[in-house]
Amino acid sequence: LRQEWGGLDILIHAIAFAAKEDLSNPYSQTSRRGFFLALDVSAYSLVILSRQAAKLMEGRKGAILTMTYMGSEKVIPNYNIMGVAKAALEASVRYLAYDLGPKGIRVNAISAGPIRTLAASGIAGFKEMLHYSSERAPLKRNIDAEEVARTALYLVSDMASAVTGEVVHVDAGY
């Protein structure tokens, strides 16, 4: 990347994983292995990728963006260990923003409302979540992937040059 394009401008982190049994069983039954796996894949991966990306962003205005979910702030049935992992991810955003800010690198997260995705299909009761969310959101609807993408474009662009360490909610106001 450095040789071909002079470095890196943007890193988008959009990876998360938890074992199915750690989502379907009560949170109190989360295995130690499942806990470590969810936090390693879903939160620590941002730390290590940011560390490496920062080296390629030296001398540039870099932007790092990750994806989170409201389950980090409130209990969402059947989200379980992923809520804890997303809370760790959001804390990592703030600490990385602090560490990388002096280098001109911004770090933010988008907390998207429920969207029909492959990952969402693994969450029990997801259809009910969509219905519940659209009924209660101030905009009285769900969101779509394009709305999340537009917010991502804003956050990694110069239009958000003074925004770092933030979790931006894209959820129709829910």
Side-chain angles (χ1 to χ4, degrees), residues 27 69-81 83-84 129 132 174:
Y27 176 70
Y69 180 62
M70 181 179 59
S72 67
E73 301 171 42
K74 304 286 183 190
V75 172
I76 304 293
N78 303 308
Y79 202 58
N80 300 337
I81 186 58
V84 174
M129 288 172 64
Y132 184 88
Y174 184 80

Side-chain angles (χ1 to χ4, degrees), residues 9 95 159:
D9 297 313
Y95 280 91
M159 291 186 288

Side-chain angles (χ1 to χ4, degrees), residues 93-105:
V93 165
R94 292 184 288 275
Y95 280 91
L96 288 166
Y98 178 82
D99 285 354
L100 301 177
K103 297 177 181 182
I105 300 169

Side-chain angles (χ1 to χ4, degrees), residues 1-11 48-64 100 103-105:
L1 287 172
R2 187 181 313 284
Q3 185 177 5
E4 190 70 26
W5 290 302
L8 182 67
D9 297 313
I10 299 165
L11 170 68
I48 191 67
L49 287 170
S50 295
R51 182 184 313 152
Q52 299 305 317
K55 295 174 188 176
L56 294 168
M57 292 178 174
E58 289 177 9
R60 308 165 81 88
K61 295 181 204 171
I64 298 172
L100 301 177
K103 297 177 181 182
I105 300 169

